[in-house]
């Protein structure tokens, strides 16, 4: 980002590494994730204000377990270890980690034994934390004060304030730890000395300056998808360069019902941006004909999307080159596509993977380091209407990845009608804000026997996939009231003739992803 203090989260493979980064940002300190393979020199080159070592699935004694270079602790940089990071830190500093034979998982009572501890001193003497470990630190490194214990962790936390080093066995980043955010904030302020001055206003100012410096007097295109990410990215770029930006809204035929009209109406009214609408439904359906593999579908949609932009760019330019393309890529997109912390590629994101090798534009991704809630905050700061800012996330490939099977005009129409009913009923119930995202999925390759009226039917199932999440890195299925689910099901089976069965997906993430494809 800019010149503000940055805390680096070293990812040891934890499912919560991204959540740690978010919690640090919630304390108004900017944070980024780096892989555990980064060397001390790599880390020092980033000039971090502090370092947090994340949890991870390994045992410190396992073959090829990720280790911490002891030199990291000799640089004068504040370091905070969490769970596995705490154990790796203890081992590197000369403490002792052992298998206690007593695994702790879930809500655990923590006993604070050092009342003047910087991290835990003013917390209740007993409080609940979230544990997830088999090994435990049984002896703290020399010079460290043990500040708490639990039934399965003789050393549940320690600190050496003089050296600006501290660690905890529990997970302060999860909501189940009662005072977790306070513990993180105490490290950031009390030990690391971070000033907590990072805000969404900083993000906007820094991005505006960076975009202006990079673009100069050249021309920029932005693709509007109908979702909040591209809308906020476009508004941010327009704040920087005004009418040098032209937005192209590609109607690929895979949008939700009424969405094209809403984008044209609401976004243009809010931003006064130059908008070109490209109706390319026939092109996309032709390219997707006969394709059922989800990764192929994503790549085809991404490829055609870019080709449309290249064609529209030549029209928009009218003789003057358009050099840049804006995309609403977010930090979870980067991480899940293998671009952050050495993560495995879970799926190729439309905004990250699947772009043609011969891309004619340079990409501008002003939201690339932000989580979804931060993007919404930026959108509100930029003056976008709440109807756009609080819209549920919608994937770039649209309904194309919510159809399990071939993407045809008929299948899209069926899904649009079912999706519109689900969204309408959710809004009418007043529960929009309780649900992070509500994919509705058509199983186009599946038919089941049903009965409607006096006749036998052989129709498609629809899957309802309402999920609750903070940042899409992890999610749980939303416990919608049964009467709401029943209304949605009744309306879909009554009003969409091709559907004779509605099911509810009750899978969390992990093991499932939010989208089916």
């Amino acid at each position: 980002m800019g010149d503000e203090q940055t805390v680096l989260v070293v990812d040891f493979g934890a499912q919560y590494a991204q959540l740690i980064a978010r919690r640090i940002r919630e304390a108004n300190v900017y944070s980024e994730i780096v892989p555990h393979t980064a060397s001390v020199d790599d880390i020092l080159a980033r000039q971090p204000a502090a370092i947090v070592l994340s949890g991870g699935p390994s045992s410190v004694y396992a073959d090829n377990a990720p280790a911490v270079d002891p030199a990291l602790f000799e640089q004068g940089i504040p370091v905070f270890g969490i769970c596995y990071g705490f154990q790796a830190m203890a081992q590197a500093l000369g403490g002792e980690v052992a298998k206690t034979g007593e695994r702790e998982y879930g809500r655990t009572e923590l006993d604070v034994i050092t009342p003047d501890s910087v991290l835990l001193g003013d917390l209740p003497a007993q409080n609940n934390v979230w544990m997830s470990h088999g090994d435990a630190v049984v002896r703290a490194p020399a010079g460290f004060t043990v500040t708490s214990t639990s039934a399965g962790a003789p050393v549940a936390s320690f600190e050496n304030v003089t050296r600006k080093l501290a660690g905890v066995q529990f997970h302060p980043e999860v909501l189940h730890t009662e005072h977790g955010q306070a513990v993180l904030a105490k490290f950031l302020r009390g030990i690391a000395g971070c000033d907590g001055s990072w805000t969404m206003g900083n993000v906007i100012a820094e991005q505006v300056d960076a975009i202006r410096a990079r673009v100069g007097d050249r021309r920029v295109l932005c693709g509007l998808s109908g979702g909040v990410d591209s809308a906020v990215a476009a508004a941010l770029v327009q704040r920087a360069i005004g009418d040098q930006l032209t937005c192209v809204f590609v109607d690929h035929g895979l949008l939700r019902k009424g969405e094209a009209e809403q984008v044209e109406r609401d976004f243009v009214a809010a931003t006064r941006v130059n908008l070109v609408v490209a109706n390319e439904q026939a092109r996309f359906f032709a390219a997707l004909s006969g394709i059922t593999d989800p990764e192929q579908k994503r790549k085809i949609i991404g490829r055609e999307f870019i080709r449309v932009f290249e064609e529209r760019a030549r029209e928009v330019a009218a003789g003057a080159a358009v050099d840049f393309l804006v995309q609403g890529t977010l930090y979870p997109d980067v991480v899940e596509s293998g671009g952050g912390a050495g993560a495995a590629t879970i799926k190729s994101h439309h905004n990250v993977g699947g772009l043609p090798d011969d891309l004619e534009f340079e990409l501008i991704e002003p939201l690339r380091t932000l989580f979804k809630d931060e993007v919404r905050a930026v959108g509100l700061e930029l003056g976008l209407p709440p109807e756009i800012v609080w819209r549920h996330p919608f994937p770039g490939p649209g309904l194309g990845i919510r159809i399990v099977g071939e993407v045809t005009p008929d299948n899209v129409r069926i899904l649009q009608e079912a999706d519109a009913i689900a969204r309408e009923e959710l809004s009418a119930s007043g529960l929009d804000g309780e649900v992070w995202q509500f994919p509705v999925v058509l199983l186009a390759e599946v038919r089941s026997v049903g009965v409607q009226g006096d006749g036998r039917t052989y129709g498609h199932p629809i899957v309802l996939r309402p999920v609750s999440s903070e940042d899409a890195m992890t999610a749980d299925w939303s416990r919608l009231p049964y009467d709401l689910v029943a209304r949605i099901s009744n309306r879909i089976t009554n009003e969409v003739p091709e559907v004779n069965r509605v099911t509810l997906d009750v899978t969390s993430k992990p093991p499932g992803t939010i989208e089916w494809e």
Side-chain angles (χ1 to χ4, degrees):
M1 296 294 288
D3 296 326
E4 75 277 322
Q5 297 168 314
T6 296
V7 173
L8 296 182
V9 178
V10 179
D11 183 4
F12 286 106
Q15 60 175 320
Y16 293 132
Q18 292 79 28
L19 186 54
I20 295 170
R22 282 193 64 249
R23 296 292 186 234
I24 293 169
R25 295 184 187 190
E26 287 174 11
N28 298 116
V29 179
Y30 181 66
S31 63
E32 286 189 357
I33 299 166
V34 296
H36 65 79
T37 51
S39 68
V40 172
D41 286 342
D42 293 337
I43 289 172
L44 292 178
R46 303 281 293 273
Q47 299 183 308
I51 296 163
V52 175
L53 308 176
S54 87
S58 301
S59 162
V60 293
Y61 292 115
D63 291 341
N64 302 316
V68 181
D69 187 338
L72 184 66
F73 306 108
E74 307 303 326
Q75 310 303 319
I77 300 171
V79 181
F80 185 50
I82 294 175
C83 194
Y84 180 86
F86 170 63
Q87 295 174 4
M89 181 179 188
Q91 186 181 59
L93 287 164
E96 185 181 350
V97 180
K99 284 197 175 294
T100 61
E102 185 172 351
R103 176 176 167 79
E104 278 186 320
Y105 182 80
R107 194 179 300 273
T108 303
E109 186 172 278
L110 186 78
D111 293 313
V112 178
I113 61 173
T114 307
D116 59 349
S117 160
V118 173
L119 287 188
L120 309 178
D122 56 1
L123 300 186
Q126 281 83 37
N127 59 92
N128 289 321
V129 299
W130 190 261
M131 290 282 197
S132 180
H133 67 100
D135 297 352
V137 178
V138 295
R139 180 173 54 81
F144 281 72
T145 301
V146 179
T147 56
S148 69
T149 65
S150 72
V155 180
S157 60
F158 58 44
E159 61 190 50
N160 183 326
V161 177
T162 304
R163 295 180 64 184
K164 300 182 179 180
L165 304 176
V168 295
Q169 180 62 66
F170 56 88
H171 286 274
E173 72 275 17
V174 303
L175 294 177
H176 305 293
T177 295
E178 290 176 338
H179 303 284
Q181 188 64 17
V183 172
L184 267 178
K186 286 171 183 292
F187 169 74
L188 295 168
R189 306 278 197 280
I191 292 180
C194 296
D195 57 22
S197 61
W198 183 73
T199 66
M200 291 302 107
N202 299 149
V203 173
I204 293 170
E206 289 167 4
Q207 283 298 323
V208 164
D209 288 346
I211 292 165
R212 284 176 181 161
R214 184 177 172 197
V215 171
D217 59 359
R218 291 181 287 176
R219 305 281 297 284
V220 180
L221 272 184
C222 177
L224 289 179
S225 69
V228 62
D229 304 340
S230 64
V232 173
L236 186 50
V237 173
Q238 200 212 24
R239 172 74 62 91
I241 60 172
D243 61 9
Q244 291 168 246
L245 170 69
T246 299
C247 287
V248 175
F249 179 60
V250 176
D251 185 355
H252 48 27
L254 308 175
L255 298 167
R256 292 172 288 198
K257 188 176 180 179
E259 198 158 47
E261 297 79 6
Q262 189 178 41
V263 169
E264 290 186 60
R265 181 182 67 244
D266 294 349
F267 186 74
V268 174
T271 62
R272 307 295 180 193
V273 75
N274 297 323
L275 179 65
V276 173
V277 179
N279 188 325
E280 296 285 347
Q281 297 187 21
R283 173 184 187 145
F284 278 84
F285 284 124
L288 290 165
S289 178
I291 303 299
T292 59
D293 179 76
E295 278 297 291
Q296 270 191 283
K297 287 195 283 189
R298 284 179 176 272
K299 285 179 165 55
I300 288 169
I301 294 168
R303 180 194 72 210
E304 295 302 316
F305 221 81
I306 293 297
R307 294 297 176 240
V308 170
F309 277 117
E310 290 172 342
E311 293 164 13
R312 289 297 183 270
R314 288 189 281 272
E315 297 171 11
V316 168
V322 175
D323 296 307
F324 298 96
L325 173 64
V326 178
Q327 290 210 106
T329 309
L330 305 192
Y331 204 28
D333 298 340
V334 175
V335 172
E336 285 201 347
S337 296
T345 300
I346 297 171
K347 57 188 174 184
S348 66
H349 279 264
H350 171 64
N351 287 344
V352 182
L355 296 180
D357 294 333
D358 57 347
L359 183 67
E360 293 182 4
F361 306 106
E362 291 183 51
L363 292 180
I364 293 176
E365 299 174 305
L367 312 178
R368 188 178 176 87
T369 61
L370 301 182
F371 293 99
K372 178 71 77 171
D373 57 335
E374 295 169 336
V375 171
R376 295 193 199 281
V378 168
L380 293 173
E381 286 265 338
L382 290 168
L384 291 179
E387 296 76 27
I388 289 177
V389 171
W390 294 109
R391 184 174 292 159
H392 284 178
F394 188 60
L399 299 180
I401 58 167
R402 292 183 178 174
I403 294 172
V404 178
E406 187 179 4
V407 180
T408 66
D410 272 349
N411 285 341
V412 170
R413 176 188 53 78
I414 294 167
L415 182 52
Q416 283 176 330
E417 295 299 329
D419 173 82
I421 290 168
R423 287 188 292 131
E424 183 180 311
E425 290 294 340
L426 183 68
S427 295
S429 73
L431 294 176
D432 265 330
E434 304 297 315
V435 176
W436 165 270
Q437 196 170 358
F438 196 172
V440 176
V441 180
L442 171 65
L443 303 186
E445 295 183 330
V446 178
R447 286 181 180 270
S448 66
V449 175
V451 58
Q452 289 170 309
D454 294 324
R456 179 177 183 274
T457 63
Y458 198 50
H460 297 290
I462 282 285
V463 181
L464 307 179
R465 173 66 167 146
V467 296
S468 302
S469 180
E470 289 194 338
D471 53 23
M473 299 306 299
T474 59
D476 195 9
W477 62 281
S478 301
R479 272 66 166 176
L480 298 181
Y482 287 147
D483 59 347
L484 171 58
V485 175
R487 280 198 306 275
I488 293 172
S489 176
N490 289 340
R491 282 195 59 193
I492 289 175
T493 52
N494 284 333
E495 299 174 31
V496 187
E498 298 87 350
V499 176
N500 67 354
R501 198 175 294 271
V502 175
T503 66
L504 180 65
D505 183 344
V506 294
T507 314
S508 62
K509 176 187 178 181
T513 53
I514 292 176
E515 299 289 349
W516 272 47
E517 295 202 334

